[in-house]
Amino acid sequence: MAAADILPTPAAPAAQASRELAGRIAGAIGRAGGWIGFDRYMAMALYEPALGYYAGGSRKFGADGDFVTAPELSPLFGQCLAAQCAHWFDATPAAIVEFGAGSGALAAQLLASLDALGSAPERYSIVEVSAPLRALQRETLSARVPALAGRVEWLEALPERIEGVVVANEVLDAMPVRLFRWHEGAVLERGVACVPQGGSFAFADRPADDAFAAHVLATLREAWAEGGEPAGDYVSEIGEQAQGWVATVAGRLAHGAMLLLDYGFPRTEYYHAHRSTGTLQCHYRHRVHGDPFVWPGLQDITAHVDFTAVSRAALGAGLQALGYNSQARFLLDCGLLDRLAQMPRDDARLWAKQAQAAQMLLSEAEMGELFKAIAFGRGVPDDAPGFATRDRRGALG
Ligand SMILES: C[S@@+](CC[C@H](N)C(=O)[O-])C[C@H]1O[C@@H](n2cnc3c(N)ncnc32)[C@H](O)[C@@H]1O
């Protein structure tokens, strides 16, 4: 059964906005001669002004949205990150630059928790591509941390020079990816074409340009060096924009640390011969499926993160590795269980909710193992408490 048949039908105005966006994407495909790369499709579906998923006004985060992120689940997440940031502030300017701040929940948690630790940052800068989310972040911060909201600024562009701590939770997975199909050594780029009848879209493959083919083959050769090639077709993604973004931000980090949390794997696991259909995922009202062409603009489209590529991009820009581990281990090392134990128990229902959220954050079957934390730095000691008991840097190759 097609994903469109089992997903809830959107309200009429949302469906109309989606059709308008589909018309714009079809126009772009027509102007490009009948084919666009999947990265272009994903960029329009997520970020086209006023109509893209992140550029439109729909509710995305939380129980009545499409997905739940860690800071939406529990303030324990922000409290743990605050402990890590406070440690780094001993060696860096007390400033945070958060990318892709979503609803503003993590910013509010970080500001409140750092304040409680006596380490409130002098400046908290947010770089956010979505105008509606910038407005939501303002609302969240004024409501939850009114005394500290004045320290927050929104930057129109990536700062030229960063001093302090860079934080990005679930941002790399939201960056457009290029798709490829490998078959017996030949590489095709998987893009998007219009379906002649019905106003929809479909995947369309064509020979990859030389640079992309070389990048794909080098990536796969490395990943399959030990386990061997897959037997049939192999489809996956290359997160070029995420890699470029990490290289740029790392290059601009003059003094400080960069902490990225997201779902993904080291390269050998990401491009394992058995993972032959890639990691592209769509989220629509808490349903996860694989069809990016359903209701463009109304559903989130994501891909997992190749942490080997992330690490090389950061190290290539001159940063030092500070740690790589599962989210569960990182949060435990930042004291999540002690923080949970300290939460007031007078309202049993509320406490049970926090305990359940902690379980979601830590459980291997939920967010604990698939999600990773990775950190880099320039001019800071290699003693991050979040990576104190175990560190999987060696797995990144
Ligand atoms: C999945 S949401 C995560 C939101 C939030 N960090 C959280 O954990 O709830 C992805 C966020 O990244 C933002 N985003 C995507 N690409 C970005 C970029 N290049 N720079 C800044 N923000 C970006 C989106 O607008 C959105 O706010």
Side-chain angles (χ1 to χ4, degrees), residues 270-358:
Y270 193 114
Y271 297 103
H272 193 283
H274 290 148
R275 201 185 304 284
S276 61
T277 54
T279 70
L280 204 69
Q281 274 186 349
C282 306
H283 297 253
Y284 181 63
R285 304 213 198 141
H286 297 279
R287 274 106 170 151
V288 182
H289 67 94
D291 184 349
F293 305 127
V294 178
W295 298 115
L298 302 187
Q299 62 168 350
D300 194 17
I301 306 173
T302 77
H304 289 35
V305 173
D306 169 0
F307 280 104
T308 299
V310 165
S311 171
R312 288 183 189 162
L315 302 186
L319 295 192
Q320 175 198 4
L322 296 180
Y324 170 68
N325 216 336
S326 66
Q327 173 171 285
R329 197 64 251 172
F330 173 79
L331 295 175
L332 287 168
D333 281 357
C334 287
L336 185 135
L337 292 180
D338 289 343
R339 291 169 210 289
L340 175 64
Q342 282 158 19
M343 282 191 146
R345 292 182 188 230
D346 37 351
D347 183 335
R349 208 176 54 87
L350 222 73
W351 195 85
K353 207 172 147 214
Q354 288 308 322
Q356 202 183 355

Side-chain angles (χ1 to χ4, degrees), residues 47 54 61 69 71 100-102 127-130 133 169-171 175:
Y47 303 108
Y54 284 107
F61 308 97
T69 60
V127 184
E128 171 57 69
V129 290
S130 158
L133 288 180
N169 183 58
E170 285 202 46
V171 179
M175 294 190 184

Side-chain angles (χ1 to χ4, degrees), residues 355-374:
Q356 202 183 355
Q359 156 77 8
M360 286 262 306
L361 292 171
L362 299 178
S363 159
E364 282 191 10
E366 305 275 359
M367 301 171 81
E369 176 56 33
L370 176 61
F371 284 67
K372 310 290 191 310
I374 193 164

Side-chain angles (χ1 to χ4, degrees), residues 46-47 53-55 60-61 67-72 77 98-106 126-131 133-134 137 158 167-176 241 245 261-263 300 302:
L46 296 184
Y47 303 108
Y53 179 72
Y54 284 107
K60 296 151 194 33
F61 308 97
F67 53 83
V68 177
T69 60
E72 303 293 331
F77 183 74
E98 184 183 356
F99 286 85
S103 71
L106 178 58
I126 294 180
V127 184
E128 171 57 69
V129 290
S130 158
L133 288 180
R134 281 199 293 271
Q137 290 154 16
L158 237 150
V167 177
N169 183 58
E170 285 202 46
V171 179
L172 296 175
D173 70 79
M175 294 190 184
Q241 293 197 21
W245 180 89
L261 300 109
D262 223 311
Y263 39 94
D300 194 17
T302 77

Side-chain angles (χ1 to χ4, degrees), residues 231-266:
D233 269 12
Y234 188 89
V235 173
S236 193
E237 323 79 30
I238 298 276
E240 273 184 0
Q241 293 197 21
Q243 293 163 30
W245 180 89
V246 172
T248 304
V249 175
R252 294 182 187 194
L253 183 63
H255 178 200
M258 170 155 99
L259 175 64
L260 310 172
L261 300 109
D262 223 311
Y263 39 94
F265 316 102

